[in-house]
Amino acid sequence: TFQRQLQQSDCQNVLMKKVFDTHMLFLQINQSAAALKHVFAALRLFVGKFPSAFFQGQADLCGSLCYEILKCCNHRSRSTQTEASALLYFFMRKNFEFNKQKSIVRSHLQLIKAVSQLIADAGIGGSRFQHSLAIINNFANGDKQMKNVNFPAEVKDLTKRIRTVLMATAQMKEHEKDPEMLVDLQYSLANSYASTPELRRTWLESMAKIHARNGDLSEAAMCYIHIAALIAEYLKRKGKINIFKTNCVSINAIAE
């Protein structure tokens, strides 16, 4: 009924956000496995009809959806895990098609970011979640329409990176009573995403929380200064600000 209004400004509008939030409520409030099956079907239809809401403009809707689907990939019900994995695969496939079969950069970034957040929020990473990753890989390997493009390889790379994050997190858990070792592991993980500022920021924020919890306020402040430098450098490259003469080196004076 409101398709024209929802598609205004390339689907970046207030009405779209309200409709999307309503869909998300069905995932955020506990549902039966039978009800979730219909929710996933509704979301497939929604993503299929309004792909630009997720793969163009701001990444807020894409990130929120990735977060909620990944939570369902860790669900205790096997049928829900399978449905969530199928929806996630469909979502990545739509991203690939929307980008004219070039890449799944946006969904890749938002999924890694969501995994990083979920590790702290919900403790994902067990056998249930690994099972869902295997299902997604199986979908990619069995998709005949995508056989001659690089989409299956991109899906495999994404699931591999997610497993790397989960392994690093497992190491962190082993050293959770050793704050210095824990932060050192997080610092290594943050450095591994040097080329992806948004993910680097996610792990630096996590480091800052650990420092603050341990009373190491100077170290926490340094993390936030580093985050500010990342944001400043990004904005400078985008031409949004010109107050920094030389990228994030300009913030050295504050750090010192």
Side-chain angles (χ1 to χ4, degrees), residues 109 193-202 230-231 234 237:
L109 173 61
Y193 288 108
S195 61
T196 315
E198 195 168 354
L199 293 176
R200 190 171 171 84
R201 174 188 170 182
T202 299
L230 282 174
I231 295 170
Y234 175 79
R237 287 180 180 179

Side-chain angles (χ1 to χ4, degrees), residues 118-246:
L118 277 166
I119 285 164
D121 298 346
I124 63 168
S127 59
R128 291 186 299 206
F129 193 73
Q130 294 288 354
H131 175 70
S132 293
L133 291 179
I135 291 172
I136 292 168
N137 270 329
N138 289 338
F139 278 132
N141 293 331
D143 194 337
K144 293 180 180 178
Q145 290 181 322
M146 292 289 167
K147 193 174 182 179
N148 298 319
V149 292
N150 66 336
F151 178 66
E154 292 215 20
V155 173
K156 187 176 181 180
D157 178 60
L158 173 58
T159 54
K160 183 180 177 181
R161 285 179 180 270
I162 289 174
R163 287 193 174 99
T164 300
V165 172
L166 295 174
M167 284 172 62
T169 307
Q171 283 185 302
M172 290 176 199
K173 198 161 184 66
E174 288 177 19
H175 297 94
E176 60 186 353
K177 293 183 180 178
D178 183 350
E180 291 184 3
M181 185 64 180
L182 179 60
V183 169
D184 192 49
L185 286 167
Q186 288 207 321
Y187 180 68
S188 297
L189 194 57
N191 277 346
S192 71
Y193 288 108
S195 61
T196 315
E198 195 168 354
L199 293 176
R200 190 171 171 84
R201 174 188 170 182
T202 299
W203 286 103
L204 285 167
E205 285 176 340
S206 183
M207 284 171 62
K209 288 175 184 175
I210 292 172
H211 281 311
R213 195 162 59 234
N214 295 327
D216 301 324
L217 301 184
S218 295
E219 286 81 354
M222 288 297 290
C223 289
Y224 286 120
I225 288 171
H226 199 124
I227 291 168
L230 282 174
I231 295 170
E233 185 169 339
Y234 175 79
L235 291 173
K236 184 175 185 296
R237 287 180 180 179
K238 284 284 187 179
K240 302 291 185 183
I241 57 172
N242 56 12
I243 57 172
F244 294 99
K245 292 180 181 177
T246 56

Side-chain angles (χ1 to χ4, degrees), residues 27 36 40 65-89 92 111 115 118 122 124-136 139 159 162 166:
L27 292 179
L36 279 172
F40 292 136
L65 183 58
C66 287
Y67 183 90
E68 295 301 335
I69 299 174
L70 282 174
K71 269 204 316 188
C72 292
C73 286
N74 203 45
H75 200 276
R76 61 182 178 274
S77 164
R78 273 295 169 98
S79 63
T80 298
Q81 285 177 40
T82 303
E83 290 280 349
S85 301
L87 175 58
L88 196 53
Y89 179 76
M92 290 188 287
L111 282 165
V115 167
L118 277 166
I124 63 168
S127 59
R128 291 186 299 206
F129 193 73
Q130 294 288 354
H131 175 70
S132 293
L133 291 179
I135 291 172
I136 292 168
F139 278 132
T159 54
I162 289 174
L166 295 174

